[in-house]
Amino acid sequence: MTDSAFNFQTLHPDTIMDALFEQGIRVDSGLTPLNSFENRVYQFQDEDRKRYVVKFYRPNRWSAEQIQEEHQFAAELLADEVPVAAPLSYSGNTLLRHQGFMYTVFPSLGGRQYETDNIDQMEWVGRYLGRIHQTGRRKLFAERPTIGIDEYLLEPRALFEQTKLIPAALKAAFLKATDTLIEEVKLRWHDRFDSLRLHGDCHPGNILWRDGPLFVDLDDARNGPAVQDLWMLLNGDKAEQRMQLETIIEAYEEFSPFNSDEIALIEPLRAMRMVYYLAWIIRRWDDPAFPRNFPWLTEEDYWRSQTATFTEQVRVLREPPLQLTPMY
């Protein structure tokens, strides 16, 4: 792929409509872009007034085999009656190609926003996460990666050292804070868990509500500890997070066992996500969408605040991890 294709600059509306026409889909409405920086995602309506979503994958991120593993996982979940947004099949294929791009078509499944302070909804989500992981435990992804220190911390650290986005006068302090954070995570990371296939990015924005939860966007699916799909649902102070976690785990365990040793990984996983997310933005800086949507990355105040954020996370890591209320 050329650099322009990598940046989606060759993905014009006519290209999208031609790709859909090849599958017998005639677009009758405009292509409405949906919120996605990594890929390009559009909602539309066909001539029969059926609504769809088409997703064009960012070139050079996932291989075809890795994308097909995601699709297979979604199909397994759907077969197990787990409400997920699964790709549609055309001539037996869910992963389609047009002019060098890989793309997928989904049914358009609307819903309300998941309410993070609604205990009933939290219980529902916990049960379905247990069911997702029940399916995820059958086998591991063979092509997709496993969450770990190298990808989430060490590779980003090397990128931070090379990038010119960090002001020279602030770089040493930022790298020192990053190194301290990495060392604290290493001290607390453990492998006392059974890895399984995960949603991978199970934050509230990837859950819709339609008489129950609907899980969307398996783009970051990978192997790892079960708690990865739980911790991003927690919010508030420690007492609130403990109550939320207990609610989720109690519902989760109706379908899957939960290893309480994984609770100690919550703050390390949070730190890893902070570092990985920042590196992701830097890696995508040549895509015009990123400077346009993340302009503060060129500002000194941002890097001062990011240094402070990493330092604060070190303090949090040094605190005792969440403890569940003892059951007698």
Side-chain angles (χ1 to χ4, degrees):
M1 303 295 295
T2 65
D3 288 343
S4 61
F6 179 84
N7 292 333
F8 293 108
Q9 292 184 26
T10 63
L11 187 62
H12 306 298
D14 286 347
T15 307
I16 299 169
M17 294 176 74
D18 287 345
L20 293 167
F21 185 76
E22 286 180 356
Q23 308 306 324
I25 303 172
R26 291 172 173 80
V27 178
D28 191 51
S29 68
L31 296 164
T32 303
L34 301 182
N35 185 29
S36 176
F37 291 113
E38 185 65 3
N39 305 296
R40 293 296 180 267
V41 185
Y42 303 89
Q43 187 178 64
F44 66 93
Q45 182 176 280
D46 73 359
E47 59 186 359
D48 296 322
R49 304 189 67 80
K50 293 181 181 178
R51 300 180 68 82
Y52 298 89
V53 170
V54 61
K55 173 180 178 179
F56 282 79
Y57 292 92
R58 178 176 292 273
N60 305 323
R61 187 199 177 205
W62 294 124
S63 68
E65 292 78 14
Q66 288 170 325
I67 295 171
Q68 286 166 338
E69 279 195 323
E70 172 202 330
H71 292 185
Q72 178 59 37
F73 187 33
E76 289 179 47
L77 292 169
L78 209 58
D80 290 340
E81 300 183 336
V82 176
V84 297
L88 298 171
S89 178
Y90 294 87
S91 301
N93 298 307
T94 56
L95 182 59
L96 311 169
R97 292 172 170 80
H98 181 78
Q99 293 188 6
F101 288 101
M102 295 187 289
Y103 70 101
T104 297
V105 180
F106 298 84
S108 179
L109 303 171
R112 305 190 308 277
Q113 185 175 0
Y114 164 65
E115 299 172 11
T116 58
D117 58 350
N118 187 316
I119 295 298
D120 288 338
Q121 291 191 11
M122 194 171 290
E123 289 177 349
W124 275 64
V125 168
R127 291 188 194 99
Y128 274 109
L129 283 174
R131 292 178 63 179
I132 289 173
H133 290 178
Q134 193 177 55
T135 302
R137 284 189 171 90
R138 289 182 191 149
K139 63 181 181 180
L140 292 175
F141 290 123
E143 301 294 334
R144 285 185 167 240
T146 297
I147 291 173
I149 298 292
D150 285 350
E151 181 188 8
Y152 278 75
L153 293 178
L154 301 186
E155 292 174 13
R157 170 58 173 80
L159 183 65
F160 296 157
E161 191 159 21
Q162 297 166 4
T163 185
K164 295 180 180 179
L165 284 170
I166 305 174
L170 304 177
K171 198 164 195 175
F174 174 77
L175 291 177
K176 181 179 179 181
T178 302
D179 289 339
T180 303
L181 185 61
I182 291 172
E183 290 308 309
E184 291 295 330
V185 171
K186 285 181 176 180
L187 288 173
R188 287 154 182 81
W189 187 257
H190 67 72
D191 58 3
R192 298 188 303 276
F193 60 86
D194 293 324
S195 196
L196 67 149
R197 290 178 295 174
L198 302 166
H199 180 289
D201 193 25
C202 194
H203 58 76
N206 279 336
I207 303 172
L208 299 178
W209 202 260
R210 298 160 46 95
D211 300 322
L214 169 68
F215 296 85
V216 301
D217 195 5
L218 292 169
D219 195 63
D220 283 302
R222 60 189 66 220
N223 303 316
V227 75
Q228 167 64 16
D229 280 348
L230 277 60
W231 74 263
M232 277 185 273
L233 301 174
L234 309 180
N235 61 85
D237 60 27
K238 278 286 181 70
E240 292 171 309
Q241 290 187 34
R242 183 174 62 251
M243 181 196 70
Q244 294 161 6
L245 186 60
E246 288 174 345
T247 299
I248 292 169
I249 290 174
E250 183 177 359
Y252 177 98
E253 289 194 311
E254 293 180 26
F255 293 94
S256 287
F258 181 78
N259 177 359
S260 60
D261 282 352
E262 295 185 22
I263 295 174
L265 296 178
I266 290 176
E267 292 306 330
L269 284 166
R270 192 190 311 275
M272 290 162 71
R273 183 176 174 84
M274 289 177 181
V275 174
Y276 185 81
Y277 178 77
L278 180 55
W280 168 69
I281 299 175
I282 293 172
R283 287 191 182 100
R284 300 292 184 251
W285 201 248
D286 287 340
D287 182 331
F290 280 74
R292 186 166 60 247
N293 287 280
F294 302 95
W296 55 84
L297 214 70
T298 61
E299 299 172 2
E300 289 192 359
D301 284 349
Y302 171 79
W303 291 102
R304 290 191 185 94
S305 68
Q306 198 62 43
T307 300
T309 297
F310 283 8
T311 301
E312 171 62 15
Q313 186 60 19
V314 167
R315 185 193 66 76
V316 173
L317 281 163
R318 289 170 176 169
E319 292 181 345
L322 281 176
Q323 296 290 327
L324 301 184
T325 303
M327 302 294 291
Y328 297 101

